[in-house]
């Protein structure tokens, strides 16, 4: 059931990414997951197995929609066909909210199949914010933008990543999906303080957290979503809960997907970390 936090932020509790590997286990076992996040593009189809399962699982659990193709930062025009399909899917799913990434995924009609960061400039702020407003007008609701993990920076950048995220969301009046693992990954790759990032994000705009595992290659961390969450990310999550309070939290696993029980154990760890912090704050 949807609860409301003290900041009147909708609060769903602890969720998982919905993956096809777990469809039957979810329907058979009805696991104690508070909600599921779907990858929007996986359900932009006319029928078949994905929609069959989506409807059945959506009847049992709250859902949110998470996209990977909006390319909000690109200089190409917004893909109107994609936006139409997104709205059709939203009408079917009735998600609690819709998110995508603060990035660009292609230019000049070419898809890079990667979530590329933007130069952190005022020009980019205005460019992205105008496009977010178009998307929000089309969908008739605010969207959430997620911070991506990154492996490159731009010499043109005139502000920090968190200042850029804040400026875009203020200018567009949109919300934030804060990926704690991505902050950890990017802070390692670009040598900044992840706690400074957390403290630099406007509390009132954060509606969801992502947690995930990654691959540390020594000189660089790659955001692979194919391992359990590491200790450093759990520590950063605890700090995020201290700063932001109750925020709907979910675990992303996209490769090397384990049995559902393993992810439920990982989700339980998130609950165990958050519970005493939230109880202390409430007291
Ligand atoms: Fe994420």
């Amino acid at each position: 059931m949807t609860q409301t936090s003290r900041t009147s932020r909708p609060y769903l509790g602890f969720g998982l990414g919905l993956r096809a590997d777990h469809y039957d286990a979810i329907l058979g076992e009805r696991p104690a997951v508070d909600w599921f996040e779907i990858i929007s593009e996986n359900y932009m189809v006319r029928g078949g197995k994905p929609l069959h399962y989506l409807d059945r699982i959506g009847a049992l659990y709250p859902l949110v929609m998470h996209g990977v193709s909006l390319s909000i930062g690109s200089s190409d025009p917004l893909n109107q066909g994609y936006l139409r399909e997104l709205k059709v899917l939203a009408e079917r799913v009735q998600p609690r909210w819709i998110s995508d990434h603060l990035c660009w995924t292609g230019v000049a009609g070419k898809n890079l199949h990667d979530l590329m960061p933007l130069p952190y400039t005022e020009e980019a702020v205005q460019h992205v914010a105008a496009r977010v407003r178009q998307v929000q007008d089309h969908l008739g609701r605010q969207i959430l933008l997620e911070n991506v993990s990154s492996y490159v920076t731009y010499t043109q950048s005139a502000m920090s990543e968190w200042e850029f995220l804040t400026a875009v969301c203020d200018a567009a009046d949109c919300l934030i999906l804060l990926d704690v693992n991505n902050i950890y990954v990017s802070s390692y790759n670009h040598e900044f303080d992840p706690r400074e990032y957390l403290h630099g994000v406007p509390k009132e705009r954060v509606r969801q957290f992502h947690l995930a595992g990654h691959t540390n290659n020594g000189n660089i961390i790659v955001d692979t979503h194919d391992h359990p969450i590491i200790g450093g990310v759990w520590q950063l999550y605890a700090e995020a809960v201290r700063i932001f309070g109750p925020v709907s939290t979910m675990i992303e696993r996209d490769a090397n997907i384990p049995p559902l029980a393993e992810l439920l154990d990982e989700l339980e760890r998130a609950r165990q970390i958050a519970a005493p912090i939230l109880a202390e704050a409430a007291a």
Side-chain angles (χ1 to χ4, degrees):
M1 180 193 293
T2 305
Q3 299 166 32
T4 301
S5 74
R6 283 181 301 159
T7 56
S8 74
R9 171 199 295 135
Y11 178 62
L12 298 178
F14 295 83
L16 289 176
L18 181 62
R19 304 294 180 257
D21 303 54
H22 300 141
Y23 284 159
D24 288 323
I26 292 165
L27 289 173
E29 299 164 20
R30 307 274 178 98
V33 176
D34 298 327
W35 55 284
F36 285 97
E37 179 190 84
I38 68 166
I39 303 295
S40 305
E41 288 78 0
N42 290 349
Y43 300 92
M44 289 178 169
V45 290
R46 300 230 176 271
K49 180 175 160 180
L51 290 179
H52 167 78
Y53 280 102
L54 178 67
D55 290 345
R56 293 178 67 192
I57 292 169
L60 299 171
Y61 295 92
L63 298 177
V64 308
M65 283 168 48
H66 183 54
V68 295
S69 306
L70 185 59
S71 200
I72 198 71
S74 177
S75 54
D76 282 353
L78 285 166
N79 183 334
Q80 297 299 326
Y82 175 80
L83 288 178
R84 277 193 295 275
E85 284 191 62
L86 192 64
K87 192 167 184 180
V88 167
L89 183 64
E91 280 161 6
R92 181 179 195 125
V93 171
Q94 295 292 310
R96 302 307 169 95
W97 53 78
I98 299 173
S99 63
D100 206 296
H101 302 82
L102 180 53
C103 73
W104 57 284
T105 61
V107 69
K110 301 256 187 312
N111 192 335
L112 297 172
H113 299 289
D114 210 341
L115 307 174
M116 299 295 295
L118 286 144
Y120 305 138
T121 65
E122 186 56 35
E123 183 183 8
V125 168
Q126 297 308 322
H127 171 71
V128 176
R131 290 160 65 91
V132 171
R133 286 191 178 278
Q134 281 184 57
V135 173
Q136 294 186 144
D137 287 347
H138 174 80
L139 295 174
R141 58 162 86 207
Q142 285 179 295
I143 61 169
L144 283 64
L145 288 183
E146 176 182 353
N147 59 297
V148 294
S149 52
S150 63
Y151 315 99
V152 294
T153 56
Y154 300 85
T155 53
Q156 294 90 341
S157 286
M159 60 186 96
S160 66
E161 184 185 326
W162 54 96
E163 288 169 333
F164 180 72
L165 174 67
T166 300
V168 168
C169 294
D170 283 348
D173 192 20
C174 67
L175 302 166
I176 294 173
L177 193 177
L178 207 56
D179 188 314
V180 177
N181 175 62
N182 287 352
I183 293 176
Y184 183 95
V185 169
S186 293
S187 73
Y188 183 95
N189 291 344
H190 306 310
E191 299 182 343
F192 62 76
D193 179 355
R195 283 163 184 80
E196 191 180 349
Y197 193 127
L198 291 178
H199 283 282
V201 173
K203 281 188 200 175
E204 67 283 1
R205 293 198 185 275
V206 176
R207 182 164 288 187
Q208 185 187 335
F209 288 149
H210 270 173
L211 295 168
H214 59 240
T215 302
N216 190 328
N217 294 323
N219 60 337
I220 194 163
I221 295 181
V222 182
D223 183 30
T224 46
H225 294 189
D226 61 351
H227 285 81
I229 298 158
I230 68 155
V233 172
W234 284 123
Q235 286 172 16
L236 199 59
Y237 173 59
E239 185 66 23
V241 175
R242 261 179 230 114
I243 294 170
F244 296 98
V247 173
S248 304
T249 298
M250 62 80 67
I251 295 173
E252 300 181 286
R253 190 67 173 264
D254 293 298
N256 194 20
I257 295 179
L260 183 60
E262 267 181 50
L263 291 180
L264 293 174
D265 285 348
E266 213 174 17
L267 195 60
E268 184 57 27
R269 185 164 178 188
R271 284 193 177 96
Q272 297 295 330
I273 288 170
I277 297 169
L278 295 176
E280 191 179 325

